[in-house]
Amino acid sequence: MNDIQITYISKYIAEGLSYLHNESIVHRDIKSANILIDNNGNLKIADLGLAVKINNNFQLAFHIPVCTLMYQAPESLFQVKSGYSFKADVWGFGCILAELVLGYPLFSVAKNYIQLIEVIITRFGIEQFENWPEITETKNYQLLKHKHRPGRTIEEYFLIKVPNINLMILDLLKKTLIINPNNRISSKQILEHKIFELDINVYNEVVCLINK
């Protein structure tokens, strides 16, 4: 998939997320299988079976099922005391963007929660975790602490996997796949990213590329 197609698809996923979040709705199962694109290039976010409407200042607790495993945000995986909210969807967006870039799901090798946490640490480095005190106090973190190895940064990971990666796409990946949701950008901020400043005519060409 080329950069124009990736930009087009990610832009309209972000628009759908921004709409949901403006309506105080957390989708809670953002993954590639729930992104539908027809032959005319129309994109929809599907399957709102886990979606919930919340107060903007409310954080969801963890007894409620949330998200397909390999798209699950760290705040949900580690069950931090503050819970999770709209930024969990942004993590899912980042996972889909990575999938478009790589050609396969970012965390597909993980078969359970513990494996997923290990993979995230190995690929993105331990530093992000250690800079978020709330996560280091969780049970799951303590179980894995002795296994931690120095990992790459997210930038290093993608530059190794995709040496010719578009640097604006890489920047968006770095801002959506941040471990601490307090530092992760919002769906609104995704739409304000410089990669989406392309001329609208560029997007109009994507329908032809999709149909090829």
Side-chain angles (χ1 to χ4, degrees):
M1 186 170 289
N2 64 42
D3 291 348
I4 294 175
Q5 290 170 306
I6 291 171
T7 303
Y8 176 93
I9 292 169
S10 57
K11 177 179 187 289
Y12 289 106
I13 295 173
E15 284 193 351
L17 273 186
S18 183
Y19 173 81
L20 289 174
H21 294 174
N22 284 339
E23 296 296 317
S24 300
I25 296 171
V26 185
H27 186 282
R28 300 202 302 165
D29 199 16
I30 293 296
K31 59 183 179 180
S32 56
N34 285 338
I35 306 301
L36 309 180
I37 308 175
D38 66 20
N39 289 335
N40 294 316
N42 298 309
L43 184 147
K44 293 182 179 181
I45 297 176
D47 192 359
L48 274 74
L50 288 176
V52 61
K53 188 163 185 172
I54 63 173
N55 180 290
N56 285 340
N57 296 317
F58 182 76
Q59 298 285 96
L60 291 159
F62 295 102
H63 63 279
I64 308 170
V66 56
C67 203
T68 301
L69 177 63
M70 60 184 171
Y71 299 89
Q72 194 158 338
E75 58 268 32
S76 176
L77 279 174
F78 286 91
Q79 300 189 7
V80 295
K81 291 180 180 179
S82 60
Y84 65 94
S85 189
F86 303 104
K87 296 289 186 71
D89 285 346
V90 172
W91 177 272
F93 170 91
C95 290
I96 294 174
L97 179 58
E99 193 169 336
L100 294 173
V101 170
L102 295 169
Y104 53 85
L106 180 60
F107 301 121
S108 59
V109 297
K111 304 303 179 186
N112 56 53
Y113 289 95
I114 298 300
Q115 286 183 10
L116 180 53
I117 293 169
E118 288 179 329
V119 171
I120 292 174
I121 291 172
T122 301
R123 292 187 177 176
F124 296 164
I126 191 60
E127 290 77 14
Q128 280 203 57
F129 291 85
E130 293 176 336
N131 292 332
W132 184 18
E134 188 177 10
I135 209 170
T136 62
E137 298 169 359
T138 63
K139 180 180 178 181
N140 285 342
Y141 182 89
Q142 294 301 322
L143 286 173
L144 289 172
K145 191 174 182 181
H146 67 285
K147 297 183 180 181
H148 289 169
R149 297 170 295 172
R152 309 181 184 104
T153 65
I154 182 173
E155 182 171 6
E156 291 170 338
Y157 176 80
F158 283 104
L159 285 173
I160 290 170
K161 292 294 183 179
V162 189
N164 63 339
I165 188 172
N166 181 299
L167 294 182
M168 288 193 292
I169 291 176
L170 177 59
D171 184 69
L172 187 55
L173 284 165
K174 288 163 58 179
K175 290 176 177 175
T176 53
L177 291 174
I178 290 179
I179 301 300
N180 187 340
N182 298 317
N183 298 331
R184 203 178 301 151
I185 64 174
S186 67
S187 54
K188 180 178 182 293
Q189 289 171 315
I190 292 174
L191 288 172
E192 294 169 351
H193 193 274
K194 56 189 176 182
I195 196 171
F196 300 128
E197 294 175 359
L198 295 173
D199 189 292
I200 190 62
N201 290 325
V202 174
Y203 294 114
N204 292 337
E205 295 173 6
V206 175
V207 174
C208 297
L209 292 172
I210 288 173
N211 286 321
K212 284 185 178 180

